[in-house]
Amino acid sequence: MSHQPIPASILTGFLGAGKTTLLNYILREQTKYRFGIIVNEIGEIAIDGDLVQHQRDEIIEVSNGCVCCTVRKDLVKGVRQLVKRGGFDYLLIETTGIADPGPVAQTFLNIPQLQQYARMDSIITVIDAENIERQLGDSEVAEAQIVMADFMLLNKTDLAGEKQLDAIEARLRELNPQARIFRTNQAQANLGELLDMHAFAVDRKLEVDPRFLDELRERVHADLEACSITLDRPLNLDRFERFVQQLTDDQQIFRSKGFLWIEQNPRRAVFHGVNNRFTVYWDRLWEKEETRSSRIVFIGKNLERRAIEDGLASCQV
């Protein structure tokens, strides 16, 4: 028996823009669809998958960077696994912050096994209003994520003034005059204007990238690296916060995130960092039989792993 292919949207955006925040907002607010999710991680430690507010059997985690450039077969396998489990009618793919979404979308067009399951509906790019101007100067991938977008969420607008937002929008329209732009905080866009809109069109992608349908090519920002660390003793929160602030002064770190085991606290802490701006908030209670640890990932350029390990070790109690 044949089935109508379900819509698929790619959620992309540079490091720390708010992709997982958007994904959780969709899952929390949109009740029309049942979602299957593929989350792509960078580094050896899975963080983003644990931050998604959803049933675990409807999430597939794919590691090793760009979901289709380096692990193309895993995407096909992941979609097959979700389809086999059943129970969903919309596919969401969250890429890493250093992946070009073009090859991800192209894979759906070039691989017949995927076409029978899903159709590409849109590429949704989340943009950090506070940092995008610098990111465009530092990374070709940040520009590719904008150029390939069908929808752009200009996010964290509370951190930028009106003139700055207008200037950013003008720059975005220069790079991609066809995409619709939403201004958002916490990635809270009108989902009725974002999902299942049949916004993806091959001819428009070819206008901005004539090589769009060529064989897959690697377009991950090769200069970026991830340093993933697991700690098996509790942390002193004050020492940890002082350390990460000093770390961003000493090293070029664009994104940091993780789960923290804080001394004398029954709850797991969630840590987020974008450049030198950090937040720590309390998450769920540690489970009685759960092995406690801290899992942290730093993403940046020319990272000095030994200095990071030594600094984190000094934060333990």
Side-chain angles (χ1 to χ4, degrees):
M1 184 173 66
S2 62
H3 297 275
Q4 192 75 11
I6 65 171
S9 289
I10 298 169
L11 311 183
T12 188
F14 205 67
L15 299 164
K19 295 180 296 298
T20 303
T21 301
L22 172 61
L23 177 55
N24 279 326
Y25 179 69
I26 292 172
L27 299 179
R28 186 172 65 249
E29 299 296 328
Q30 177 58 264
T31 58
K32 180 180 178 181
Y33 303 102
R34 297 161 299 166
F35 293 98
I37 302 160
I38 294 179
V39 176
N40 188 208
E41 298 274 12
I42 183 171
E44 304 99 1
I45 299 176
I47 300 293
D48 289 345
D50 284 348
L51 292 172
V52 177
Q53 301 165 0
H54 211 48
Q55 296 297 318
R56 294 300 308 169
D57 60 357
E58 294 169 356
I59 298 177
I60 298 292
E61 292 177 316
V62 179
S63 60
N64 301 321
C66 178
V67 72
C68 288
C69 293
T70 58
V71 284
R72 177 181 181 178
K73 291 181 180 178
D74 282 354
L75 177 64
V76 181
K77 180 181 177 181
V79 175
R80 277 178 161 172
Q81 286 178 316
L82 286 171
V83 170
K84 185 176 180 180
R85 295 173 187 174
F88 77 100
D89 48 26
Y90 204 113
L91 178 63
L92 297 173
I93 303 170
E94 180 189 353
T95 71
T96 73
I98 58 172
D100 179 345
V104 185
Q106 184 223 48
T107 301
F108 279 85
L109 302 175
N110 284 4
I111 299 183
Q113 300 141 288
L114 285 182
Q115 293 175 9
Q116 63 180 309
Y117 299 132
R119 62 167 176 82
M120 185 51 50
D121 185 75
S122 62
I123 297 175
I124 303 170
T125 300
V126 186
I127 297 161
D128 181 345
E130 185 182 30
N131 293 297
I132 187 60
E133 292 169 301
R134 181 186 54 76
Q135 292 166 351
L136 285 171
D138 289 343
S139 172
E140 294 179 3
V141 168
E143 180 172 325
Q145 292 167 346
I146 291 168
V147 168
M148 282 287 119
D150 298 300
F151 300 107
M152 289 185 272
L153 272 58
L154 183 54
N155 197 35
K156 305 184 184 180
T157 54
D158 57 320
L159 301 178
E162 192 69 22
K163 288 185 178 180
Q164 183 184 0
L165 293 172
D166 290 342
I168 294 171
E169 277 203 21
R171 176 69 172 132
L172 297 179
R173 295 189 190 282
E174 286 179 4
L175 294 171
N176 184 342
Q178 300 168 336
R180 183 174 179 186
I181 300 174
F182 298 85
R183 291 189 181 186
T184 62
N185 285 318
Q186 298 296 317
Q188 296 183 6
N190 184 339
L191 299 181
E193 300 178 286
L194 202 64
L195 300 176
D196 203 6
M197 299 297 292
H198 295 264
F200 183 89
V202 174
D203 56 345
R204 291 206 295 268
K205 304 308 175 193
L206 289 170
E207 286 180 20
V208 296
D209 184 358
R211 294 182 57 243
F212 175 66
L213 292 179
D214 293 352
E215 273 301 300
L216 289 171
R217 66 276 189 193
E218 186 75 38
R219 291 200 287 182
V220 176
H221 199 305
D223 293 336
L224 293 182
E225 57 185 302
C227 178
S228 305
I229 295 174
T230 299
L231 304 168
D232 58 7
R233 284 162 44 202
L235 295 167
N236 176 278
L237 183 57
D238 289 338
R239 292 207 298 265
F240 175 78
E241 290 180 334
R242 287 196 298 271
F243 164 71
V244 293
Q245 189 65 63
Q246 183 62 49
L247 183 64
T248 57
D249 293 337
D250 296 340
Q251 299 198 37
Q252 197 170 3
I253 295 175
F254 299 141
R255 182 76 167 101
S256 48
K257 55 187 174 181
F259 298 106
L260 307 179
W261 176 17
I262 302 299
E263 62 173 333
Q264 298 180 341
N265 196 297
R267 293 186 176 274
R268 184 177 72 169
V270 177
F271 164 63
H272 280 293
V274 179
N275 297 325
N276 61 353
R277 186 188 294 273
F278 305 100
T279 59
V280 176
Y281 64 87
W282 301 111
D283 191 28
R284 63 170 174 80
L285 291 167
W286 290 104
E287 296 177 8
K288 183 176 293 188
E289 304 299 325
E290 184 177 7
T291 300
R292 299 187 184 188
S293 66
S294 296
R295 295 180 288 144
I296 309 167
V297 177
F298 297 95
I299 303 170
K301 289 184 179 181
N302 305 314
L303 300 183
E304 298 177 20
R305 183 181 181 91
R306 182 61 182 272
I308 295 174
E309 290 177 333
D310 290 347
L312 287 173
S314 71
C315 299
Q316 295 183 110
V317 295

